[in-house]
Amino acid sequence: MIARACGGLEMENWRCVGGGMAVGCAAVYAESCRGLITESAQAFVDTATLDGIRVAERQFAMPGQLERLQRYHAEKSEWVLRAWIDIWLSDAFRQWSLDDQLAKVDCPLLALHGDHDEYGSRLHPERICALTSGPSDLQILLDCGHVPHREHPETVLAAITRFLAQLDNATLTR
């Protein structure tokens, strides 16, 4: 999908990683970051996120459910799942947030988030947009959960295409 959206844009400096990791990269490499796109990124620990993770933990404990992750994580599926659950639900993680990293992001930002995201409310992308200093575009996708690019691929593709075209045309600036 990203290759389709990017057309002729130079792609060597673009990365596709988790939203929090992408924010971290945009903060650390601010001088070389032309733009940041987050999809369903969590910016802090909240009750909705923890409740969603607890539900996922119960669902993945059912027979055959762990196999769904193998398509993405192969033999490390159980480790990836346990790491995600155990870290987010640990007392030591309760105070985590992206706030410090967000304060260092000054590139244009597109924040995509589903209105029914089971792992976090719209407070996450709102915080991401509020704490960065560059121009931002928050798009809440209707009737959408945590995986907008799968649930509404054409809408996500159109949003990314517009964002990248604006970057390419320099209509979004620092």
Side-chain angles (χ1 to χ4, degrees), residues 43-59:
F44 58 97
V45 178
D46 70 343
T47 303
T49 303
L50 299 178
D51 289 347
I53 291 170
R54 288 183 188 103
V55 168
E57 181 177 31
R58 288 190 298 275
Q59 289 174 337

Side-chain angles (χ1 to χ4, degrees), residues 14 47 60 85 95 97-98 112 115 130 142 154-156 158 168:
W14 291 83
T47 303
F60 279 106
I85 292 169
Q95 300 305 313
S97 79
L98 288 176
L112 303 169
D115 65 340
L142 301 178
E154 294 306 317
T155 302
V156 170
D168 198 38

Side-chain angles (χ1 to χ4, degrees), residues 29 38 45 50 58 72 74 76 93 115 124 133 143 152 158 165:
Y29 301 107
T38 65
V45 178
L50 299 178
R58 288 190 298 275
Y72 308 103
K76 294 184 180 184
F93 198 67
D115 65 340
H124 291 274
S133 60
D143 298 316
H152 295 286

Side-chain angles (χ1 to χ4, degrees), residues 16-23 37 39 41:
C16 183
V17 296
M21 289 183 283
V23 167
I37 300 171
E39 178 183 299

Side-chain angles (χ1 to χ4, degrees), residues 86-97:
D86 295 343
I87 289 169
W88 273 89
L89 297 182
S90 73
D91 289 336
F93 198 67
R94 299 283 174 174
Q95 300 305 313
W96 172 85
S97 79

Side-chain angles (χ1 to χ4, degrees), residues 3-11 168:
R4 234 173 88 197
C6 293
L9 290 178
E10 176 59 47
M11 291 298 295
D168 198 38

